[in-house]
Amino acid sequence: MRLFLNALLLLAITNLYSQNSIKGSVTDANTNQSLAFVNIYITDLEKGTTSNENGLFQIDNIPSGKHTMQVSIIGYETQSINIIIPNSNDYTIRLIPSAIEMEDIIISTPFHKLQSENVMKVEQESVKNLRANGAVNLADGITNIAGVESVTTGLSIGKPVIRGLSSNRVLVYTQGVRLENQQFGAEHGLGISDNGIESIEVIKGPASLLYGSDALGGVLYLNPERFASTNSSEGDFGGNYFSNTKGYNTNAGYKSSEDHFKFLFRGSLTEHSDYKTKDYRVTNTRFREQDFKAGIGYQDHGFKTEFRYNVNHSKLGIPEDIGEQSTLRTPLLPFQDITNHVFSSKSTIYLKNSRLDINLGYIYNDRKEFEDHHHHEDEEEHEDEDHAEDEHENEVLEAALHMKLKTTNYDVKYHLPTLGKFETILGVQGMNQINTNYGEEELIPNATTNDFGILGVSHIHFEKSDLQLGVRYDNRHINIQSGIQKNFNSFNGAAGIKSNITKNITARINLSTGFRAPNLAELTSDGTHEGTNRYEIGNIDLKNEQNFQSDVNLEFKNDHVEFFVNGFYNKVNNYIFLSPDGTFIDGDPVFVYLQDDARLYGGEIGLHIHPHPLDWLHIESSFETVTGKQKNDTYLPLIPANSISNILRVEFERPWLKKGYAFIKLKTTFAQNNVDVFETTSDGFNLLSTGLGGTFSLFKNEATITLSGTNLTNVNYINHLSRLKPDGIFNMGRNINIGITYQL
């Protein structure tokens, strides 16, 4: 591997090319009028500008080679233009009017194309839109994306579920590197704030070809906030208030870019008290989150690099039962205290007709859990009885569970020169991970994990079709402190085709395999799992989970109607699950890890109507369903219930208001009767939401105000994926969210 990397670096260093400029004009394709304030963005350079009042633009310091330029503005179809520098540098761009929302470049797939050009079907949504819909946090927001749900423990802890698969079967990427933060734990969330995140992409299905182990069920890809346009600066601050929790979220950021250097930073603070149902507050669902993100970039002489850093500190209450009723924000015992550091660097070396991408990451996760009976006992031994209660309130707690996870990873990809219809990428990826225990309780043992993978993928362009093929090999080695060593290997591949059947109809078929190596908890657990009241015993002989999934996507799109159907069938061999063995230890039932084949199937259907001439009116409906079964036809646990969403949305402009909108949404979740033998069924429910907002001028700067309400009828309901369901604890009741952002 070292020789491979050295060879690529030597090739890059000896082939640097000079900087260039591109310029052009943007006009309306129907009227030929110049278009001002159009966004022109070169994706791989993360560099862009806007057209002036005459529709003209220019971007300087562009390295030689092939790039993708995205041209977009509200009210027009987004264009993706392949540019080859220095062969051409003057462009006349004619945009076609459209009521369809702007597209964006998909970053999570290897060739960075618009979704309409992508062979894989990828869902993308901006964080701004998720907030406008009333999302309290990231885990709540992703449930607005078709095919995505969240396993929750109260409001603060949520784990993404993609088509019925979650935890270590779904890989999360942030800042271009894989997030590793003890995600195997049922009571552990993402540890990522949505502040400083621009958009979310979801790959629904095996993505092991691109990302290796743990991407068996899909990928949640978080795109960080973009740097400012070249030679510009901007800042903003804002906040949200949530009526249900008496909570708030405040954030402020600033960014600036010059020809060569650019930087940004953003800080945020979030606090919530216990959330309220129609009848009571759910004790200890309160939490506090502090987050800081920063980035610095440099580009010159065929080389681009950026470094980003994120630190997130969260103090999260762990709910157990209904007790104290208050609006205090300081968590009670038990609670988690988690600090997550993410360091990442992305560098690109541009050659004449190719490029080398080098992504490096380091994640440091410090996880502490505090319980009632873990404190300095010697502090109480000599207390005077009259002061014992005061001392107990002021004592310093010791973490019952204290784990540190240190992860280093690398991702190196070489984009070969385009050969006719072929675009090809070769790459290597790897990870070193060290888990260390410091508390008196040990959830999983000290261990070191090393991953290595090598991949090749090609995109082949035809006149009306695109074909994508890829293969990959992975090895995972786990060295456990007790002396046990485990090795897991897997070959995986993927093949997909996108075809434009007619001008308005596009079809996609993707076949892919994925794998997941067993995690440390599944291999080595031996003890009572607090909060679940069960004694878990690992199975050191577990094998890889290996799956094969077929995906079919059909889309119809014209000026006023969009319709899509997604279907999938996913067969998972050696699916790992917990099962009781009928015995008890210390009064707790014993659960052991077993394996059996499983299958999941289902899909999504969606319709979007924006009728002419009422282009400001949008009627949207979507339906999603998934069924999961073991080989013996018993149902898998934690499978989301079928649901349907209906949205009526209007967009409007006034002389004093820009980007105005209003919506009303009804989401119907059906009863879930297809449950695992250790689950109970869940009733269906309806949630009504509404919202409005827009941007206006305030003191010569732009201010954006949003107002939204969720669960407006204040119904008592329990989501099937709530960890509080066994205790009969309801999800959150009515919530009104008021938000404001002010541009400096």
Side-chain angles (χ1 to χ4, degrees):
M1 182 193 69
R2 182 176 296 175
L3 290 175
F4 177 75
L5 293 177
N6 288 339
L8 291 178
L9 287 171
L10 180 62
L11 176 64
I13 292 171
T14 57
N15 285 276
L16 298 180
Y17 283 79
S18 61
Q19 302 292 309
N20 306 271
S21 297
I22 60 172
K23 60 182 180 179
S25 62
V26 188
T27 61
D28 185 301
N30 294 339
T31 66
N32 213 31
Q33 290 183 340
S34 299
L35 295 177
F37 308 114
V38 176
N39 299 304
I40 296 95
Y41 189 72
I42 301 178
T43 309
D44 61 298
L45 297 179
E46 298 184 60
K47 188 173 187 176
T49 187
T50 57
S51 60
N52 63 19
E53 62 274 10
N54 297 316
L56 303 177
F57 69 89
Q58 180 168 326
I59 304 177
D60 298 318
N61 295 319
I62 306 299
S64 297
K66 183 179 179 180
H67 309 281
T68 300
M69 182 169 67
Q70 176 187 336
V71 185
S72 62
I73 188 172
I74 293 175
Y76 291 84
E77 289 185 11
T78 300
Q79 282 195 26
S80 175
I81 302 171
N82 290 325
I83 61 176
I84 299 177
I85 303 299
N87 293 0
S88 178
N89 63 358
D90 198 347
Y91 295 88
T92 300
I93 302 168
R94 297 166 59 85
L95 294 184
I96 300 172
S98 173
I100 300 171
E101 284 82 359
M102 292 189 304
E103 285 190 272
D104 211 341
I105 295 291
I106 300 298
I107 305 299
S108 57
T109 52
F111 296 100
H112 295 181
K113 299 182 181 298
L114 294 174
Q115 177 53 54
S116 58
E117 304 168 335
N118 219 31
V119 173
M120 298 176 66
K121 175 66 175 176
V122 179
E123 301 288 348
Q124 186 188 67
E125 187 60 84
S126 72
V127 168
K128 180 180 178 181
N129 287 343
L130 297 180
R131 287 177 179 167
N133 286 329
V136 178
N137 53 24
L138 188 61
D140 182 33
I142 62 176
T143 63
N144 289 284
I145 301 173
V148 183
E149 293 292 337
S150 186
V151 176
T152 62
T153 305
L155 189 62
S156 62
I157 300 173
K159 308 175 76 65
V161 179
I162 299 178
R163 289 176 167 174
L165 297 176
S166 61
S167 296
N168 277 85
R169 298 182 180 97
V170 172
L171 189 62
V172 179
Y173 252 63
T174 181
Q175 298 177 193
V177 297
R178 59 184 291 164
L179 178 67
E180 292 290 328
N181 65 346
Q182 311 283 3
Q183 59 265 42
F184 65 86
E187 306 293 334
H188 197 49
L190 289 173
I192 295 288
S193 169
D194 61 3
N195 292 295
I197 294 176
E198 188 152 311
S199 63
I200 299 170
E201 297 175 13
V202 181
I203 300 176
K204 295 182 289 189
S208 294
L209 169 66
L210 305 177
Y211 298 105
S213 179
D214 299 354
L216 174 143
V219 174
L220 188 71
Y221 198 98
L222 309 177
N223 289 313
E225 179 179 1
R226 290 179 177 180
F227 288 98
S229 297
T230 305
N231 295 319
S232 68
S233 299
E234 56 186 271
D236 66 82
F237 65 88
N240 290 74
Y241 174 76
F242 304 88
S243 66
N244 184 285
T245 63
K246 313 295 183 185
Y248 64 87
N249 171 6
T250 61
N251 79 94
Y254 180 79
K255 52 188 175 181
S256 180
S257 294
E258 299 177 351
D259 284 338
H260 301 295
F261 284 99
K262 52 188 176 182
F263 73 91
L264 59 77
F265 64 84
R266 182 168 300 278
S268 65
L269 173 64
T270 301
E271 282 193 310
H272 289 271
S273 64
D274 297 338
Y275 77 77
K276 189 177 185 302
T277 70
K278 182 179 180 180
D279 301 323
Y280 51 77
R281 290 194 178 275
V282 180
T283 307
N284 211 26
T285 53
R286 61 196 73 171
F287 67 96
R288 174 186 173 92
E289 180 185 60
Q290 299 162 283
D291 189 85
F292 177 76
K293 293 181 174 74
I296 185 170
Y298 174 78
Q299 179 185 315
D300 194 21
H301 300 305
F303 174 73
K304 176 184 77 76
T305 188
E306 69 175 57
F307 173 81
R308 291 184 187 253
Y309 169 65
N310 175 213
V311 57
N312 182 281
H313 177 239
S314 301
K315 197 171 183 179
L316 314 172
I318 301 177
E320 294 183 314
D321 50 35
I322 305 302
E324 171 189 299
Q325 297 288 290
S326 79
T327 56
L328 297 176
R329 298 189 179 101
T330 302
L332 304 169
L333 292 171
F335 67 86
Q336 295 179 349
D337 190 305
I338 300 172
T339 303
N340 204 50
H341 301 267
V342 180
F343 301 84
S344 66
S345 74
K346 293 174 59 179
S347 299
T348 301
I349 301 171
Y350 293 94
L351 312 178
K352 185 175 182 180
N353 293 308
S354 62
R355 76 174 194 262
L356 181 68
D357 294 332
I358 305 171
N359 292 356
L360 306 174
Y362 177 74
I363 298 93
Y364 173 44
N365 179 262
D366 189 354
R367 173 182 178 179
K368 299 177 183 178
E369 294 187 6
F370 297 87
E371 301 171 8
D372 278 313
H373 59 282
H374 291 279
H375 50 74
H376 293 295
E377 296 181 358
D378 56 346
E379 289 186 4
E380 296 187 60
E381 291 179 357
H382 305 292
E383 298 296 336
D384 183 86
E385 289 185 1
D386 294 334
H387 300 91
E389 184 175 346
D390 292 337
E391 285 293 333
H392 181 73
E393 290 178 355
N394 295 322
E395 65 188 356
V396 178
L397 294 176
E398 291 180 351
L401 179 72
H402 187 187
M403 304 169 65
K404 293 183 180 180
L405 190 70
K406 301 174 183 178
T407 306
T408 303
N409 52 48
Y410 59 88
D411 181 353
V412 181
K413 291 189 177 75
Y414 179 57
H415 297 246
L416 277 68
T418 301
L419 297 176
K421 301 179 183 295
F422 286 78
E423 291 182 79
T424 302
I425 296 174
L426 301 177
V428 294
Q429 296 173 335
M431 179 185 76
N432 172 263
Q433 185 174 91
I434 301 172
N435 181 74
T436 310
N437 287 277
Y438 294 89
E440 64 180 80
E441 290 185 7
E442 187 173 292
L443 191 61
I444 58 174
N446 297 343
T448 299
T449 302
N450 285 291
D451 284 0
F452 174 76
I454 185 168
L455 65 96
V457 58
S458 288
H459 189 112
I460 309 167
H461 302 270
F462 298 100
E463 184 177 349
K464 292 186 177 181
S465 300
D466 288 88
L467 179 66
Q468 190 167 296
L469 303 168
V471 293
R472 179 186 179 112
Y473 169 77
D474 281 276
N475 171 263
R476 169 168 287 186
H477 177 76
I478 302 177
N479 187 1
I480 303 170
Q481 190 179 46
S482 62
I484 298 175
Q485 297 191 37
K486 299 292 292 185
N487 272 291
F488 301 94
N489 301 279
S490 183
F491 283 95
N492 288 281
I497 185 170
K498 178 187 78 76
S499 180
N500 299 320
I501 298 175
T502 69
K503 177 183 176 182
N504 301 116
I505 299 177
T506 301
R508 293 180 176 87
I509 299 175
N510 281 275
L511 307 175
S512 51
T513 67
F515 87 106
R516 182 179 75 89
N519 63 45
L520 283 173
E522 295 162 338
L523 291 169
T524 61
S525 291
D526 188 11
T528 300
H529 195 290
E530 301 297 338
T532 60
N533 298 319
R534 65 189 180 210
Y535 194 100
E536 295 184 6
I537 298 178
N539 182 351
I540 200 66
D541 296 320
L542 292 175
K543 302 175 182 178
N544 278 346
E545 288 185 338
Q546 190 79 43
N547 75 328
F548 175 81
Q549 180 165 312
S550 55
D551 284 275
V552 178
N553 164 249
L554 189 66
E555 295 179 352
F556 171 84
K557 181 183 295 185
N558 64 19
D559 291 341
H560 308 292
V561 176
E562 298 174 73
F563 176 75
F564 71 85
V565 178
N566 303 326
F568 76 95
Y569 185 88
N570 186 7
K571 187 177 188 304
V572 186
N573 293 328
N574 297 319
Y575 186 91
I576 300 171
F577 62 95
L578 272 171
S579 179
D581 68 356
T583 64
F584 291 81
I585 296 179
D586 297 330
D588 292 323
V590 175
F591 278 67
V592 296
Y593 283 96
L594 302 176
Q595 289 187 296
D596 196 2
D597 294 345
R599 64 189 187 278
L600 299 97
Y601 51 89
E604 303 88 34
I605 300 173
L607 175 67
H608 181 186
I609 302 173
H610 33 88
H612 182 74
L614 308 178
D615 292 336
W616 48 267
L617 176 64
H618 297 261
I619 303 168
E620 303 174 45
S621 293
S622 64
F623 171 75
E624 53 190 85
T625 178
V626 59
T627 300
K629 289 186 176 182
Q630 296 183 36
K631 188 176 181 179
N632 60 7
D633 270 348
T634 60
Y635 290 101
L636 295 175
L638 294 176
I639 298 297
N642 298 344
S643 66
I644 185 169
S645 294
N646 294 288
I647 302 174
L648 179 66
R649 181 163 53 94
V650 297
E651 298 171 344
F652 49 88
E653 297 271 347
R654 295 291 184 271
W656 52 273
L657 184 70
K658 296 190 300 182
K659 303 175 184 177
Y661 71 90
F663 74 89
I664 184 168
K665 173 182 178 181
L666 178 65
K667 181 173 182 178
T668 300
T669 300
F670 299 99
Q672 179 57 290
N673 297 314
N674 300 331
V675 296
D676 177 74
V677 293
F678 306 110
E679 290 182 309
T680 57
T681 60
S682 298
D683 295 331
F685 52 89
N686 294 287
L687 297 180
L688 181 65
S689 306
T690 190
L692 57 87
T695 300
F696 60 94
S697 178
L698 180 64
F699 304 122
K700 298 182 179 181
N701 289 315
E702 286 192 349
T704 301
I705 290 183
T706 60
L707 174 65
S708 63
T710 55
N711 192 4
L712 291 175
T713 57
N714 205 25
V715 299
N716 278 335
Y717 73 99
I718 302 178
N719 192 296
H720 186 68
L721 300 186
S722 171
R723 292 282 184 184
L724 305 183
K725 179 176 178 287
D727 298 315
I729 296 175
F730 296 121
N731 286 78
M732 189 167 68
R734 181 189 298 118
N735 179 54
I736 305 299
N737 174 12
I738 302 173
I740 183 169
T741 300
Y742 187 70
Q743 302 290 334
L744 299 175

